Amino acid sequence: MYLEDFEIESVGSYWDKADLPENLVRTAKHTEAVAELTKAFMRKEPAKPVLIAGDTGVGKSTLLHLVAEKLHLARWKTVTLAASDLKAGQRYVGDIA
């Protein structure tokens, strides 16, 4: 089952440039991390899961918004899901219902 076959609205939503907060602060560290993550996601090999963790206010959400923006520009469909929408052992959205 691919995302095209699955109603994404039942578990999340497609990310859109309009979702990018207007007041995002872009730092040099963000730019470096965005470049690395975008490069990793765009490899021909299957992508591996990435865990973004850190204390409140360190820029996790900002980093993910900026990576989504780069992928969106490359015509990727990026999906936003809450952690509660994922289940252990799930390989793709809709795998375990």
Side-chain angles (χ1 to χ4, degrees):
M1 176 183 293
Y2 295 97
L3 288 179
E4 293 83 21
D5 303 325
F6 186 76
E7 291 185 29
I8 202 64
E9 290 80 18
S10 67
V11 293
S13 62
Y14 286 110
W15 186 91
D16 188 81
K17 180 124 172 111
D19 296 328
L20 193 64
E22 292 180 25
N23 59 348
L24 266 183
V25 176
R26 300 165 194 248
T27 66
K29 291 282 188 188
H30 281 120
T31 303
E32 182 181 324
V34 166
E36 289 294 318
L37 283 171
T38 304
K39 187 169 101 177
F41 285 129
M42 296 184 84
R43 287 187 300 218
K44 297 293 182 199
E45 306 158 9
K48 294 186 177 170
V50 174
L51 175 65
I52 307 294
D55 293 330
T56 301
V58 298
K60 299 177 299 291
S61 294
T62 298
L63 176 63
L64 293 174
H65 277 295
L66 295 172
V67 169
E69 178 184 39
K70 291 284 187 188
L71 294 174
H72 184 74
L73 291 171
R75 301 201 179 274
W76 279 51
K77 288 184 179 180
T78 308
V79 177
T80 302
L81 300 169
S84 60
D85 295 324
L86 303 175
K87 297 173 179 73
Q90 187 173 4
R91 295 172 292 183
Y92 51 85
V93 175
D95 181 32
I96 301 173

